[in-house]
Amino acid sequence: MVSEVKAQLELFFKNWFNKDRKPRQTGQKGLSIIGQRNRLQYIILGLLNQRSQTGYDLTKAFDHEIGEFWQAQHSQIYPMLKRMETDGEITHQDAVTGEKLAKKVYQLTHKGRQKLEAWISEPSPELTATKDEFILKLYFIRSADDPRIPAMIHEQVTLHQAQLDHLHLRMATVFPDQAAIDAAYGHYLILEHAIERETQYLAWLNRH
Amino acid sequence: MVSEVKAQLELFFKNWFNKDRKPRQTGQKGLSIIGQRNRLQYIILGLLNQRSQTGYDLTKAFDHEIGEFWQAQHSQIYPMLKRMETDGEITHQDAVTGEKLAKKVYQLTHKGRQKLEAWISEPSPELTATKDEFILKLYFIRSADDPRIPAMIHEQVTLHQAQLDHLHLRMATVFPDQAAIDAAYGHYLILEHAIERETQYLAWLNRH
DNA sequence: TTAAAACATGTAAATATTGACATAGTGTAA
DNA sequence: TTACACTATGTCAATATTTACATGTTTTAA
């Protein structure tokens, strides 16, 4: 179903769609450049645009700030930072914590900021699969009387309730007043969205 | 946030968590076996358990049936089928369409069916990131007055409305009566879930 | 009748992502 | 004072996933 909607949307966005992809150059000497979409670089650009920070800080951000919507390990982040610096999108200053714990504080360059803005301004006509393992398992259960269903549902209620509690807590701490919302409106919107999504998920679970 | 909930859940599921992972055997002669989770094999097992089918049929199923929850291209499916057959989880019969269009109809073995049931019976204590590119872009927009927001929202409304229409259509055609629901209860549940999810997403979009 | 879409199966090359390995300094609480 | 959690940065190996390359048959609609 996803591909059908996608095909439909391609009509509207054909100038943007596939925009970033360069053809593979089989049988030629030069290295072929760029295959997949590399969204990670844009997310890093966006995070660094909020404030200069280290690879370690970015790793934590993927865990605590945007883990609902993208995940990345430090083993993916550090090489990406190196590559982005080579490409001139970011630079770093060396800094030290305590006596001698070295760290690299990265920030955007002009080129990086432009790349970020260009990405944000692009259409996003793709529906990505959710990859919810529980949902897939459920899909394969034929009978409403299957004895495994109650425990499976209960496990997910525990999981998603914990997640929802966590999101509520973040909302209360990160956005205590209107000023906080005005200062990071997009962040507020996606947290609100995540809360609504978990609330709906739980309501659906509890109904069954 | 995801990792925190995960850590919390690990207390409850520690016997299952990491269950499938075997340690890498650095510095030893034998090949190290198994790294990532390989959920694709289980999904293929589940699809083949519903009915015997070809790699081509499976590819379409990922597009039309479960594309909301997992995606896979034929270039990933055919090699996986080969591997699963080598592992004794599935077998195939050769068949022909028309005069000479060869195809391979795959079905589960006893071992494959057991593996499928074992997977379904396992806990699913992991929250996976949604990877919604639009949401990420929104996260990086600071101001509620940003001039790009209306067009971005409108684009997503179009996209998700098309998806929701498609899901409604599928619900009406696949589950016209209670008998159809009883015959594929899990399928019914996840379609219901997908519809609710898109409905909520649209309501949120339309509110902003 | 013929062109396009759909059926059908593969491989190759590249990038993406994960998990483990590896090392070292810092802050803190028992 | 010492162990543990956390800060901090990297690499390596394996698997996962995507995109393009490649080929041939069958069905369907203009």
Side-chain angles (χ1 to χ4, degrees):
Chain A
M1 44 194 161
V2 170
S3 71
E4 284 159 20
V5 173
K6 199 164 111 178
Q8 198 177 326
L9 269 290
E10 276 184 69
L11 298 172
F12 301 107
F13 303 112
K14 55 181 154 189
N15 291 118
W16 284 101
F17 212 73
N18 290 334
K19 178 176 169 287
D20 249 1
R21 287 186 209 119
K22 304 194 180 79
R24 189 165 50 142
Q25 313 195 338
T26 309
Q28 291 180 225
K29 280 167 225 155
L31 290 178
S32 82
I33 310 163
I34 298 273
Q36 281 173 63
R37 301 274 271 96
N38 192 4
R39 290 176 184 85
L40 178 60
Q41 67 178 326
Y42 297 112
I43 301 166
I44 290 175
L45 288 175
L47 290 169
L48 290 180
N49 189 44
Q50 296 181 337
R51 62 182 181 85
S52 297
Q53 50 191 318
T54 67
Y56 186 82
D57 296 329
L58 291 170
T59 302
K60 279 190 303 176
F62 277 95
D63 234 46
H64 305 300
E65 304 288 316
I66 52 176
E68 281 266 309
F69 302 108
W70 204 274
Q71 287 173 337
Q73 316 300 319
H74 77 273
S75 58
Q76 201 183 0
I77 291 166
Y78 287 114
M80 184 63 73
L81 287 170
K82 200 162 277 186
R83 171 174 156 190
M84 291 166 73
E85 185 161 38
T86 302
D87 292 350
E89 294 155 14
I90 58 176
T91 53
H92 81 268
Q93 268 79 52
D94 288 310
V96 171
T97 297
E99 279 308 302
K100 50 178 172 176
L101 182 55
K103 59 180 177 180
K104 298 178 179 175
V105 182
Y106 288 92
Q107 65 256 192
L108 293 192
T109 63
H110 179 64
K111 183 180 174 186
R113 201 175 310 269
Q114 284 192 318
K115 186 162 182 169
L116 172 62
E117 295 305 324
W119 174 66
I120 292 174
S121 300
E122 273 174 32
S124 314
E126 282 165 89
L127 253 21
T128 306
T130 304
K131 301 209 167 181
D132 183 321
E133 197 168 356
F134 160 71
I135 291 283
L136 285 165
K137 289 177 179 175
L138 205 51
Y139 176 72
F140 296 125
I141 288 179
R142 310 293 208 98
S143 163
D145 303 322
D146 192 292
R148 294 169 295 194
I149 293 180
M152 289 171 72
I153 301 248
H154 182 257
E155 180 201 26
Q156 295 300 310
V157 167
T158 304
L159 183 63
H160 286 275
Q161 186 63 60
Q163 177 69 354
L164 181 57
D165 291 346
H166 186 81
L167 291 172
H168 276 307
L169 185 64
R170 287 224 322 126
M171 181 61 103
T173 54
V174 180
F175 298 106
D177 51 38
Q178 189 63 39
I181 294 173
D182 293 339
Y185 188 65
H187 188 170
Y188 170 76
L189 285 184
I190 74 159
L191 192 47
E192 179 193 57
H193 173 69
I195 286 173
E196 288 183 19
R197 183 154 60 100
E198 287 298 336
T199 302
Q200 183 266 303
Y201 201 126
L202 268 170
W204 172 74
L205 285 171
N206 284 320
R207 208 171 340 111
H208 296 290
Chain B
M1 47 193 160
V2 169
S3 70
E4 284 160 21
V5 173
K6 198 164 109 178
Q8 196 177 326
L9 268 291
E10 276 184 70
L11 297 172
F12 299 109
F13 301 115
K14 54 183 157 187
N15 293 118
W16 285 101
F17 212 73
N18 291 335
K19 177 175 169 291
D20 249 359
R21 290 186 206 119
K22 304 192 180 79
R24 190 165 49 142
Q25 311 194 337
T26 310
Q28 289 181 228
K29 279 168 226 154
L31 291 178
S32 83
I33 310 163
I34 297 270
Q36 281 172 64
R37 299 275 270 97
N38 192 4
R39 290 175 184 85
L40 178 60
Q41 68 179 325
Y42 297 111
I43 301 167
I44 289 175
L45 288 174
L47 290 169
L48 290 179
N49 190 44
Q50 295 180 337
R51 61 183 181 85
S52 297
Q53 50 193 316
T54 66
Y56 187 82
D57 296 329
L58 291 170
T59 302
K60 279 190 304 176
F62 278 96
D63 234 45
H64 305 300
E65 304 289 316
I66 51 176
E68 281 267 308
F69 303 108
W70 202 274
Q71 288 173 338
Q73 315 302 318
H74 76 274
S75 58
Q76 200 182 358
I77 291 167
Y78 287 115
M80 184 63 73
L81 286 169
K82 200 160 276 185
R83 172 174 155 189
M84 290 166 73
E85 186 162 37
T86 302
D87 292 349
E89 294 155 16
I90 59 176
T91 53
H92 81 268
Q93 268 79 53
D94 289 310
V96 170
T97 297
E99 280 308 301
K100 52 176 171 175
L101 181 57
K103 59 181 177 179
K104 298 178 180 175
V105 182
Y106 288 93
Q107 65 255 193
L108 292 192
T109 62
H110 178 66
K111 183 180 172 185
R113 201 175 311 267
Q114 285 191 317
K115 187 163 182 166
L116 172 63
E117 294 305 324
W119 173 66
I120 292 173
S121 300
E122 273 174 32
S124 314
E126 281 165 271
L127 254 19
T128 306
T130 304
K131 302 209 165 182
D132 183 321
E133 199 168 355
F134 160 72
I135 291 283
L136 286 165
K137 289 177 179 175
L138 206 51
Y139 176 71
F140 295 127
I141 289 179
R142 309 293 208 98
S143 163
D145 302 323
D146 192 292
R148 293 169 296 195
I149 293 179
M152 289 172 73
I153 300 249
H154 182 256
E155 180 200 27
Q156 295 301 308
V157 167
T158 304
L159 183 65
H160 285 275
Q161 185 63 58
Q163 177 70 354
L164 181 57
D165 292 345
H166 185 82
L167 291 172
H168 275 309
L169 185 64
R170 287 223 323 126
M171 181 61 102
T173 54
V174 179
F175 297 106
D177 51 38
Q178 190 62 40
I181 294 173
D182 293 340
Y185 187 65
H187 187 171
Y188 171 76
L189 285 184
I190 74 157
L191 192 47
E192 179 192 59
H193 173 70
I195 286 173
E196 288 182 18
R197 182 154 62 99
E198 288 296 336
T199 301
Q200 184 266 305
Y201 201 126
L202 268 169
W204 172 74
L205 285 172
N206 284 319
R207 207 170 341 110
H208 295 291

